[in-house]
Amino acid sequence: MTVLITGGAGYIGSITTRLIRASGRGVVVLDTLENGHRKAVGDAPFVQGDIADSDLIARVVAEHGVDEVVHFAAYKAVGESMSNPGKYFNNNVTGSQKLFEALHQAGVTRVVFSSTAAVYGTPQSVPVRETDALSCESVYAETKLMIEKTLGWYSQTTDMRNVCLRYFNAAGASDDSTLGEDWRFSQNLIPHVMKAVLGFAPALTVFGNDFPTPDGTGVRDYIHVEDLARAHVAALDYLAKGGHSITCNVGTGHGTSVMDIIATTERVTGKKVPYEIAGRRAGDPSECYADPRRINETFGWSPTRSLDDIISSAYAWHTSHPHGHDS
Ligand code: UD1
């Protein structure tokens, strides 16, 4: 079996690509390299190009004998999606629609899609279940939901089946510290904590300590990127065995506050995290963590890594790669 991995040169895509290969499948990575990095692909078969290029998709599917797809390629900066919505609708939504149609025309019927917990917006209650109300609070989130819905219609009207994985907060780095997130381009908490603890930033800014949470800071569900990668392999196996289309949360089911992350980082690294408290970031919910029962019951997947593993792997990666893959 050969898997086309769009966006396989990015943070989650590259770590998942490696695990899919280790699981015994062939791969071909498609990435524009606008945000991904060639080095992250290593010696995996690679094609530089766009998901919206239908002729290219047809050629890649035929030449590589593609029968499964994992679709990561998308823009993902929430703030930018609000200032430049057209860029997000065009690339994420229109691009994905063109990809799915090209796959359908080529006879590819199994797609795993990289969705997000951002489709829940501010949850009405936690832990969040897949059947809970959806409330996109950014253009970015809306584009991911539109892609889920597009796949849903392909599933109803054609023989294409899909698994939509709604990621909670992907964090950490590959076990061997060679693949990880580039803090120069990330808005997320853990890269910023690492920047501060390693002295590449004067201090971490904590966005609000007046939330209605135990310590006042935001609570999230941090999922180790290696565990997240395993969820994709489980989803491919599920579809290969004939599983019907399904949407699953990918999280641990545990809420962790910003202060918990700081305390864990200090314990694991033995270093102080300089930080300052600032006002809340616009659009941040106080609390969001997953109910992961569905993915556990359907795929038998559950996380194997702890918060300590997330922090120690992130620390090892950022220490050796302060300039990401350009280090
Ligand atoms: C963000 C995106 C979400 C996306 C996810 C993964 C928003 C509103 N949501 O989720 O759509 O799917 O990243 O890419 O942007 N924090 C700080 N200081 C920082 C950075 C973050 O205190 O410098 C806090 C935040 O307020 C939040 C927590 O840390 O409470 C996690 O933030 P972050 O890593 O940005 O993830 P989310 O906002 O949950």
Side-chain angles (χ1 to χ4, degrees), residues 28 49 109 115 120 134 141 167 194 205 208 275 295 310 318 322:
V28 52
T109 59
S115 191
Y120 299 114
L134 303 177
Y167 309 160
M194 294 301 148
T205 304
Y275 69 88
I295 191 168
I310 289 177
H318 287 292

Side-chain angles (χ1 to χ4, degrees), residues 34-258:
E34 191 184 332
N35 293 317
H37 206 290
R38 181 67 186 86
K39 259 195 199 170
V41 181
D43 62 358
F46 174 70
V47 176
Q48 184 168 359
D50 201 305
I51 53 171
D53 184 344
S54 306
D55 293 339
L56 176 66
I57 300 299
R59 208 164 57 241
V60 169
V61 169
E63 279 173 11
H64 292 263
V66 169
D67 31 35
E68 303 176 309
V69 176
V70 181
H71 177 34
F72 291 102
Y75 293 134
K76 62 167 190 176
V78 174
E80 186 192 44
S81 80
M82 301 302 275
S83 56
N84 193 355
K87 177 176 172 180
Y88 280 68
F89 287 119
N90 184 49
N91 183 60
N92 295 7
V93 181
T94 308
S96 296
Q97 199 282 316
K98 287 187 170 163
L99 170 70
F100 301 151
E101 183 56 24
L103 294 173
H104 171 55
Q105 296 295 336
V108 178
T109 59
R110 307 200 290 271
V111 178
V112 176
F113 171 56
S114 155
S115 191
T116 173
V119 296
Y120 299 114
T122 302
Q124 282 167 359
S125 60
V126 283
V128 190
R129 302 187 67 173
E130 291 85 351
T131 47
D132 286 354
L134 303 177
S135 161
C136 295
E137 289 167 7
S138 68
V139 170
Y140 161 73
E142 188 71 44
T143 64
K144 289 285 179 172
L145 184 56
M146 289 169 83
I147 300 167
E148 283 193 10
K149 287 187 169 177
T150 305
L151 280 171
W153 284 110
Y154 270 92
S155 182
Q156 279 201 38
T157 56
T158 74
D159 54 2
M160 186 182 278
R161 290 170 293 124
N162 68 78
V163 173
C164 293
L165 296 176
R166 289 181 180 158
Y167 309 160
F168 282 68
N169 293 62
S174 70
D175 289 337
D176 67 355
S177 313
T178 60
L179 297 171
E181 199 174 1
D182 190 332
W183 66 25
R184 295 174 302 169
F185 309 118
S186 175
Q187 314 294 323
N188 295 131
L189 176 64
I190 291 178
H192 282 273
V193 170
M194 294 301 148
K195 219 169 171 176
V197 82
L198 287 166
F200 284 79
L204 168 75
T205 304
V206 176
F207 296 134
N209 65 350
D210 58 352
F211 287 103
T213 59
D215 64 24
T217 63
V219 167
R220 297 290 185 277
D221 188 338
Y222 296 91
I223 173 80
H224 196 298
V225 65
E226 292 275 14
D227 278 328
L228 190 50
R230 284 176 44 249
H232 295 77
V233 176
L236 288 171
D237 288 344
Y238 165 84
L239 288 175
K241 283 187 205 137
H244 58 76
S245 297
I246 194 168
T247 297
C248 293
N249 288 339
V250 194
T252 65
H254 300 293
T256 301
S257 74
V258 176

